[in-house]
Amino acid sequence: MEEVVVLIVGAGPAGLATAACVSQFSIPYVIVERENCSASLWRNRTYDRLKLHLAREFCELPHMPYPADTPTYIPKNTFIKYVDDYIECFAIHPRYLTVVESSTYDFNGKYWSIMAHDMAKCKIVNYRAKFLVVASGENSVENIPVIPGLENFPGVAIHSSCYKSGIDYSGRNVLVIGSGNSGMEIAYDLASHGANTSIIIRSPIHVMTKELIRLGMTLVHYLPLKMIDGLLLMMANAVFGDLSRHGITRPEKGPFVLKSETGRSAVIDVGTIGLIKKDKIKVHGRITKIKGKTIEFEGGKEASFDAIVFATGYKSTTNSWLKNDEDMLNSDGVPKKEFPNHWKGANGLYSAGLGRRGLAGIAMDAKNIANDIKRSIDSMCS
């Protein structure tokens, strides 16, 4: 049994930021990570052309700004280099290939009892922690919806986490399922590499430019969200026009109100809308069934495809190992409390990076958690 003050589960940006903030108060911690590297989602499960969708001023981790020559919209590899520099700067030493299998709270001893599997050494490790930080993220395992006939589809069917570039799909008929930022950008990448691309857009979405989102995020410090939404929607209309004729409708609530209430982000256009307007990317509605290579959509329309890319997000696995967290996470492994009060549970339990507020939200969570742990320790000593 290893006694620790703070145990952080996950060495993605949220876990690393929390480790850095805790270290500012000289509070001892251990950080464990199930993969063999930090920020594994960014390193191993993202496509080649990815850039951060938000301007760099909204994407800094605590206590370390980007170098002055960093571009406004940061490429994936530049962000990974920043993460590596961050780890070095704060002397963070994650224990890689360590999978947490169970965690329960001992109400008598007032500590968290955590059992983990050290896969490198093939042994079980037990921790006893005063504070436990869940920083394992929402993006733990791929989410692929159940579609009748999918099991008999003879072509390539992959999750977006396995997609790297459209260069391998030139001349092929490819369907992208999912119209969030990843799905829309993958569709653009496929079409740009000569694939005959289609995308499923089932739900209303907001489409914005990166400049409009940057403007909105700047204005949130000065104006009500509804006022910002009104301004952005007027400007988006001027840029994109009426997209309903292309199968794209808007939600009733504006982009910033929707983000605040549900965590759903607007789609930041990288050129996809222009290709949809030119019919170089075709838009379809909901799938009803798959028959071999033929996919049938609502309304009876059919088309044949060689490949399917599921840009349908991820699911959290936290609930499979975390117990006694009734006050913090729901059945989907995301916080019950609304932002900005989502990060704190009971009995020294915290969550970092689960508020659906991107890297800026991660920075806020990490600072709040470190400050709260510091207050708790100070009150114990007084």
Side-chain angles (χ1 to χ4, degrees):
M1 179 71 71
E2 182 175 350
E3 301 270 356
V4 299
V5 178
V6 182
L7 184 74
I8 302 169
V9 181
L16 299 174
T18 304
C21 289
V22 166
S23 70
Q24 297 299 292
F25 296 120
S26 300
I27 298 171
Y29 69 89
V30 168
I31 179 170
V32 297
E33 166 59 47
R34 68 177 185 173
E35 302 293 341
N36 63 356
C37 61
S38 63
S40 63
L41 176 68
W42 292 89
R43 295 180 199 273
N44 302 327
R45 293 189 281 167
T46 50
Y47 42 93
D48 294 343
R49 62 167 286 120
L50 178 66
K51 292 184 178 180
L52 298 190
H53 291 121
L54 302 181
R56 74 179 194 185
E57 63 262 33
F58 305 113
C59 297
E60 285 184 354
L61 298 180
H63 309 300
M64 194 177 107
Y66 287 101
D69 60 350
T70 304
T72 302
Y73 296 94
I74 301 170
K76 174 179 77 171
N77 289 337
T78 302
F79 180 70
I80 291 172
K81 172 66 165 57
Y82 172 76
V83 169
D84 289 338
D85 292 343
Y86 194 83
I87 290 171
E88 182 178 355
C89 176
F90 295 101
I92 302 170
H93 301 286
R95 298 183 181 180
Y96 295 118
L97 296 173
T98 301
V99 181
V100 174
E101 296 189 345
S102 69
S103 176
T104 56
Y105 187 71
D106 187 308
F107 288 92
N108 294 321
K110 299 189 183 304
Y111 60 81
W112 287 92
S113 179
I114 301 103
M115 183 178 73
H117 182 199
D118 184 334
M119 294 189 292
K121 297 179 181 178
C122 296
K123 68 175 186 178
I124 297 297
V125 183
N126 292 292
Y127 297 97
R128 183 181 291 177
K130 193 68 181 175
F131 304 98
L132 177 62
V133 181
V134 177
S136 46
E138 300 168 90
N139 303 329
S140 298
V141 295
E142 294 84 358
N143 176 46
I144 295 183
V146 176
I147 301 174
L150 175 61
E151 66 278 7
N152 296 318
F153 179 71
V156 175
I158 63 170
H159 189 267
S160 59
S161 60
C162 299
Y163 178 90
K164 295 301 177 185
S165 170
I167 195 168
D168 298 325
Y169 298 91
S170 179
R172 302 170 74 182
N173 298 328
V174 185
L175 176 66
V176 179
I177 299 178
S179 55
N181 277 299
S182 293
M184 294 289 264
E185 188 161 0
I186 287 171
Y188 175 82
D189 188 59
L190 285 162
S192 298
H193 282 95
N196 302 313
T197 307
S198 298
I199 187 169
I200 289 180
I201 301 180
R202 299 181 304 170
S203 304
I205 56 173
H206 285 293
V207 180
M208 296 278 149
T209 66
K210 59 182 184 294
E211 292 81 10
L212 287 177
I213 292 297
R214 187 183 190 187
L215 172 63
M217 292 186 72
T218 302
L219 291 176
V220 294
H221 301 291
Y222 309 101
L223 297 174
L225 294 185
K226 284 187 178 180
M227 188 177 294
I228 295 170
D229 281 344
L231 175 64
L232 295 189
L233 290 173
M234 180 178 64
M235 298 173 77
N237 276 335
V239 173
F240 298 111
D242 181 11
L243 297 178
S244 61
R245 71 183 79 174
H246 303 288
I248 301 173
T249 59
R250 282 184 177 150
E252 291 184 7
K253 295 181 178 179
F256 274 73
V257 168
L258 195 65
K259 179 69 175 177
S260 174
E261 293 182 357
T262 70
R264 285 179 55 196
S265 298
V267 170
I268 299 176
D269 182 50
V270 295
T272 313
I273 298 302
L275 296 184
I276 288 173
K277 287 180 175 180
K278 294 176 183 177
D279 205 33
K280 292 185 178 180
I281 297 176
K282 293 179 170 55
V283 175
H284 294 284
R286 189 182 303 271
I287 293 176
T288 54
K289 60 184 171 182
I290 299 175
K291 301 175 292 184
K293 281 194 171 186
T294 301
I295 296 181
E296 183 181 294
F297 303 96
E298 275 184 340
K301 184 185 290 187
E302 294 183 344
S304 179
F305 293 94
D306 304 304
I308 302 172
V309 180
F310 286 92
T312 44
Y314 297 83
K315 293 183 288 188
S316 169
T317 59
T318 302
N319 283 336
S320 67
W321 56 265
L322 179 64
K323 308 304 175 188
N324 307 124
D325 67 319
E326 292 83 359
D327 292 333
M328 193 171 78
L329 303 180
N330 64 20
S331 59
D332 294 323
V334 296
K336 291 180 179 179
K337 297 177 184 176
E338 293 184 359
F339 179 89
N341 303 310
H342 61 284
W343 53 273
K344 185 175 180 179
N347 305 312
L349 178 65
Y350 303 92
S351 70
L354 296 182
R356 297 178 179 176
R357 294 300 187 280
L359 291 164
I362 282 173
M364 291 175 61
D365 289 352
K367 292 175 183 176
N368 285 333
I369 291 167
N371 288 334
D372 198 69
I373 291 174
K374 175 69 162 55
R375 282 193 294 269
S376 296
I377 291 174
D378 288 346
S379 67
M380 293 176 197
C381 299
S382 61

